[in-house]
Amino acid sequence: MTKPLSAYRPTIPLAGDITVPGDKSISHRALMFAGLAIGETRISGLLEGEDVLRTAAAMRALGAEVTRDAPGAWRVSGVGVGGLREPEDVLDMGNSGTAARLLAGLLASHPLFAVMTGDASLRRRPMRRVTEPLALCGAHFAARAGGRLPLAIEGAAEALPIEYRLPVASAQVKSAVLLAGLNARGATRVEEPVPTRDHSENMLRHFGATVTVEAAGSGRVITLAGQPELTASDIVVPGDPSSAAFPLVAALLVPGSRVTVRGVGLNPLRTGLFQTLHEMGAGLALANERVEGGEPVGDITATAGELIGVDVPPERAPSMIDEYPILAVAAATARGTTRMRGLAELRVKESDRLAATAALLAANGARVEIEGDDLLVHGAGAPPPGGGMVETHMDHRLAMSALVLGLAAAAPVRVDDTAFIETSFPGFIPLMTGLGACFA
Ligand code: S3P
């Protein structure tokens, strides 16, 4: 069922002190890795968005015991590396590329047959980027034209370790290869051209695997020793910086606002947006920096103020890959042009986010251009006129970005469907309303 919604400029500033749901990347990994560990892992702060619930259901179907005790508090009893059982039915990964791609890695090195599908958005997304390297371990795949889901997987009985250089900077592809390597004899090596989020590496170590990381040119080489004994180990999931981005940018754009988000994950491979906003002159302050569950976290306070346009280099893209739509919204209110370089990967997200972000802004009177793989937003030093209808194409981050734009724009912004916000940020609407946002 679609859920259209309009966002209006509030009459009073946004204010409040909040937390956001758990990190999506870490939540998927926590369920998957704990599902392969021996013993019981307790997870707190797990994101209970639809994407992660799909991973929980898939891990159950593969033999792990997955129990929800209270909101965000889960227990997983794993089957041990190599112990996944053949699922009886098709695995439906919903809207989640991370769930589908990481799971393909796990399944590739287990001697079983599985079929994976997803919703219309996920069924459009490229899977060859994982099936090509994963075939090197001896797994067989059959997919629809263009390597798209549904995908049939015949895992390798005696998986070989993979050596692979990523052609694109993708933490999902890196993670899929490493996960296949868990049940391969010998060392799996992945080279990435630019460092991407390293939650898999950190969490595999946390469960007892041997993972080494070496610098190689502008990137890294990651080596995993195969067939480790993974041992259950409790996990605290930090707040998702990609979710915190929405209330924080809203606070920057609505005059007079001040909002604090507590317990936000600050892994340096995830904080490109905050660095960019800082360069734009945003009032962002960091407090209480600490390490929780092996990841750096802190409290971020955003205070409204003027922004200036900046040039965002392509090598920063992996550390803020999910944040370009909301950055583009901020850029539309800034003084001067913001050029976001090297965004080819945005074309294969939950939607073609490069085209859809440009359309979101253009529909609301902002000046925007796509030049090759770059997005240019010409900010007028004031919020854009608004008044447009935004098509979200089953993409949660476009829906939230459009709603934030509506809080700043002169006229309300209408959004065709906000239902997909549930995939990553359950409770977004009431949380924002609690800060003073106006939706109808
Ligand atoms: C993710 C990696 C990124 C990101 C996605 C989550 C992950 O995708 O866009 O939301 O958890 O590894 P890519 O690896 O395709 O860039």
Side-chain angles (χ1 to χ4, degrees):
M1 201 182 65
T2 59
K3 288 188 188 161
L5 200 67
S6 293
Y8 300 77
R9 188 189 268 185
T11 48
I12 50 163
L14 303 181
D17 196 319
I18 57 173
T19 58
V20 293
D23 189 276
K24 183 152 72 71
S25 293
I26 296 177
S27 295
H28 283 299
R29 286 161 173 82
L31 291 169
M32 287 186 199
F33 301 2
L36 282 184
I38 301 284
E40 186 178 271
T41 294
R42 277 172 306 172
I43 307 171
S44 58
L46 189 85
L47 168 64
E48 294 178 341
E50 281 177 16
D51 277 14
V52 174
L53 299 179
R54 297 288 179 163
T55 290
M59 292 311 293
R60 277 194 194 108
L62 293 165
E65 236 177 82
V66 183
T67 317
R68 180 181 191 263
D69 290 328
W74 291 59
R75 269 178 300 130
V76 180
S77 289
V79 295
V81 169
L84 295 178
R85 71 158 190 241
E86 185 166 273
E88 284 183 20
D89 204 348
V90 171
L91 302 169
D92 185 348
M93 309 322 294
N95 193 251
S96 179
T98 307
R101 297 197 177 114
L102 268 58
L103 207 63
L106 280 187
L107 298 173
S109 59
H110 279 75
L112 48 75
F113 174 78
V115 178
M116 199 189 281
T117 192
D119 70 12
S121 156
L122 187 55
R123 279 186 272 115
R124 280 193 290 266
R125 297 180 66 186
M127 292 298 285
R128 209 175 270 150
R129 54 176 55 202
V130 287
T131 57
E132 240 172 52
L134 291 175
L136 299 173
C137 82
H140 295 283
F141 297 93
R144 285 194 308 140
R148 280 154 165 92
L149 298 182
L151 173 72
I153 304 168
E154 216 184 293
E158 296 272 342
L160 300 168
I162 299 171
E163 293 212 0
Y164 192 64
R165 184 172 203 280
L166 300 180
V168 286
S170 165
Q172 291 181 357
V173 180
K174 169 177 68 175
S175 300
V177 173
L178 291 175
L179 292 189
L182 280 176
N183 198 31
R185 208 170 289 167
T188 292
R189 287 180 77 233
V190 193
E191 184 175 348
E192 51 183 1
V194 191
T196 65
R197 65 189 70 191
D198 57 0
H199 306 304
S200 294
E201 295 90 311
N202 297 343
M203 205 184 289
L204 283 169
R205 281 201 199 99
H206 178 73
F207 281 109
T210 305
V211 182
T212 57
V213 180
E214 294 156 275
S218 57
R220 294 178 170 186
V221 176
I222 300 105
T223 308
L224 167 77
Q227 299 187 318
E229 179 129 322
L230 298 185
T231 313
S233 191
D234 293 349
I235 291 177
V236 181
V237 182
D240 198 326
S242 299
S243 296
F246 299 104
L248 290 172
V249 170
L252 295 176
L253 303 191
V254 177
S257 298
R258 186 181 165 86
V259 168
T260 297
V261 186
R262 298 203 183 268
V264 181
L266 295 174
N267 181 312
L269 293 167
R270 295 289 299 282
T271 48
L273 173 74
F274 302 134
Q275 183 185 349
T276 303
L277 289 171
H278 181 72
E279 289 168 7
M280 294 172 83
L284 285 180
L286 193 56
N288 283 327
E289 283 184 79
R290 56 208 186 263
V291 174
E292 263 177 27
E295 292 275 347
V297 298
D299 305 338
I300 306 179
T301 299
T303 308
E306 281 182 11
L307 301 175
I308 49 168
V310 293
D311 197 309
V312 190
E315 61 276 9
R316 197 178 293 167
S319 69
M320 54 177 299
I321 193 67
D322 293 332
E323 280 68 78
Y324 284 101
I326 191 64
L327 175 64
V329 167
T333 72
R335 185 160 34 83
T337 296
T338 295
R339 181 186 273 269
M340 299 163 235
R341 296 179 189 268
L343 306 189
E345 274 296 296
L346 288 198
R347 294 199 170 92
V348 291
K349 293 297 173 189
E350 284 82 334
S351 66
D352 175 347
R353 266 190 198 154
L354 186 51
T357 300
L360 182 167
L361 292 179
N364 288 288
R367 281 182 52 227
V368 54
E369 287 171 77
I370 296 173
E371 258 183 35
D373 294 335
D374 296 355
L375 180 65
L376 277 81
V377 178
H378 305 289
M389 164 64 104
V390 173
E391 283 184 56
T392 50
H393 306 281
M394 306 177 78
D395 188 329
H396 52 128
R397 298 201 203 279
L398 286 176
M400 289 184 275
S401 299
L403 291 175
V404 170
L405 176 65
L407 299 179
V413 170
R414 286 177 300 146
V415 179
D416 67 342
D417 188 9
T418 58
F420 283 86
I421 292 174
E422 288 298 309
T423 63
S424 72
F425 201 152
F428 173 76
I429 301 292
L431 187 75
M432 292 298 294
T433 307
L435 295 175
C438 300
F439 303 127

